[in-house]
């Protein structure tokens, strides 16, 4: 727990879900939080939670799809806390539509801009400061970033891109003291699927999946796994037993994995 005491941790997508709960947990460990997301109102609520947990926090309304906004956000982090020790690239949006049904192809550009390029922009702005403090880069990806999933074509593409970027960057940064941790959650109990983009590019607002208890990992468990990975500066974390087994199936029996993924998504749909 002392590893985060007094450290400046930037969390994108901090206004809800994994980002919010991770920020509060880090604040409880004494971290100085820089909370980034588009909604100023939501960020202020999370800021209050972080401060109540015992940490310091600043809220910076940021559209990670805008490289200049990312640069300004990092500058404010440095102004507030003197540098950056950890950057958690968590901001992201999802989709839920079969490719052949999509009527707004702009969905794919938007997913890439937020999920992939948003991480690129924030990382580029923060990297000099991370190198100065031998810091940590964290990418909150998804099992979908390792295995294709039906109705998630654009989301899977953006997360595959995120994986490729951070895997390459990890090698570039060897010897600098900066480590890269890629985290791959499965289904987690957040509202990300309710906010997923539908075939027309608009948020669905209601999840098309069975979100009942037992089908998803709870957020607290997910955050605990992420915190442990950050403490140990792990290279990659694949959550859930099924996710880990899936990586072996992809290597040796990829056709079987495709069928399992197909059935899993079919079973989850309402």
């Amino acid at each position: 727990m002392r590893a985060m005491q007094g450290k400046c941790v930037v969390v994108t997508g901090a206004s809800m879900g994994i980002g919010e709960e991770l920020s509060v947990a880090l604040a409880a460990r004494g971290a100085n939080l820089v909370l980034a997301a588009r909604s100023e109102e939501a960020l202020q609520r999370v800021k209050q939670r972080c401060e109540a947990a015992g940490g310091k926090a600043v809220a910076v309304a940021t559209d990670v799809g805008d490289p200049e906004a990312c640069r300004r956000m990092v500058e404010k982090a440095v102004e507030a806390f003197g540098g950056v020790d950890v950057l958690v690239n968590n901001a992201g949006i999802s989709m839920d539509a079969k490719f052949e049904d999509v009527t707004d192809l702009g969905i794919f550009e938007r997913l890439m801009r937020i999920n992939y390029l948003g991480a690129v922009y924030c990382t580029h702005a923060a990297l000099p400061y991370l190198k100065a403090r031998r810091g940590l880069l964290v990418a909150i990806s998804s099992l979908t970033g390792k295995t294709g999933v039906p109705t998630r074509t654009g989301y899977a593409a953006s997360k595959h891109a995120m994986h490729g970027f951070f895997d390459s960057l990890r090698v570039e940064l060897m010897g600098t003291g900066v480590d890269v941790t890629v985290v791959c959650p499965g289904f987690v109990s957040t509202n990300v699927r309710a906010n997923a983009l539908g075939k027309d590019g608009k948020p669905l607002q209601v999840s098309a999946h069975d979100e009942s208890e037992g089908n998803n990992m709870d957020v607290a468990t997910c955050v605990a796994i992420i915190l442990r990975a950050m403490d140990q500066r792990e290279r990659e974390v694949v959550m859930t037993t099924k996710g880990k087994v899936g990586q072996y199936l992809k290597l040796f029996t990829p056709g079987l994995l495709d069928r399992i993924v197909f059935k899993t998504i079919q079973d989850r749909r309402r």
Side-chain angles (χ1 to χ4, degrees), residues 135-166:
L136 176 66
L137 276 163
V138 181
I140 307 299
S141 182
S142 167
L143 291 178
T144 310
K146 298 180 77 65
T147 302
V149 174
T151 74
R152 301 291 196 279
T153 49
Y155 180 72
S158 67
K159 292 298 187 180
H160 273 69
M162 187 189 216
H163 265 76
F165 171 74
F166 282 106

Side-chain angles (χ1 to χ4, degrees), residues 38-265:
R38 288 178 298 172
S39 172
E40 175 70 31
E41 182 179 357
L43 286 177
Q44 289 300 327
R45 175 181 54 77
V46 179
K47 178 178 183 292
Q48 291 176 3
R49 290 190 64 198
C50 288
E51 291 172 343
K56 297 179 181 178
V58 295
V60 185
T62 307
D63 177 359
V64 298
D66 178 353
E68 186 61 22
C70 295
R71 185 188 64 79
R72 290 195 299 268
M73 182 269 292
V74 171
E75 286 182 349
K76 290 182 180 179
V78 174
E79 180 181 329
F81 299 118
V84 178
D85 295 284
V86 183
L87 169 61
V88 181
N89 289 289
N90 171 71
I93 53 175
S94 187
M95 69 174 289
D96 191 354
K98 290 179 67 175
F99 179 68
E100 64 182 352
D101 295 335
V102 171
T103 57
D104 179 6
L105 288 172
I107 292 172
F108 293 86
E109 181 180 351
R110 187 175 175 191
L111 286 161
M112 276 294 197
R113 190 172 68 250
I114 301 303
N115 297 355
Y116 167 55
L117 289 175
V120 171
Y121 298 152
C122 290
T123 299
H124 190 266
L127 190 55
Y129 304 103
L130 290 165
K131 290 177 73 174
R133 293 191 172 185
R134 302 176 69 84
L136 176 66
L137 276 163
V138 181
I140 307 299
S141 182
S142 167
L143 291 178
T144 310
K146 298 180 77 65
T147 302
V149 174
T151 74
R152 301 291 196 279
T153 49
Y155 180 72
S158 67
K159 292 298 187 180
H160 273 69
M162 187 189 216
H163 265 76
F165 171 74
F166 282 106
D167 282 349
S168 298
L169 184 60
R170 182 189 293 109
V171 179
E172 287 188 12
L173 292 173
M174 289 179 68
T176 67
V178 178
D179 291 315
V180 177
T181 297
V182 178
V183 181
C184 306
F187 293 106
V188 181
S189 294
T190 69
N191 57 358
V192 65
R193 282 171 295 283
N195 291 329
L197 305 180
K199 62 183 180 180
D200 57 359
K202 298 177 181 178
L204 292 172
Q205 298 185 324
V206 177
S207 175
H209 295 260
D210 181 359
E211 306 287 356
S212 59
E213 185 176 351
N215 278 345
N216 300 334
M217 178 182 287
D218 63 271
V219 182
T221 299
C222 179
V223 166
I225 294 171
I226 295 171
L227 289 172
R228 183 168 62 248
M230 291 171 66
D231 286 343
Q232 298 176 1
R233 297 170 81 100
E234 294 183 33
R235 182 183 187 278
E236 183 177 273
V237 178
V238 175
M239 294 191 191
T240 79
T241 300
K242 288 184 178 179
K244 294 173 184 176
V245 170
Q247 301 316 299
Y248 288 99
L249 293 178
K250 188 174 183 178
L251 285 174
F252 300 109
T253 56
L256 174 59
L257 178 60
D258 288 346
R259 293 191 292 274
I260 291 172
V261 170
F262 178 80
K263 186 176 187 305
T264 298
I265 296 301

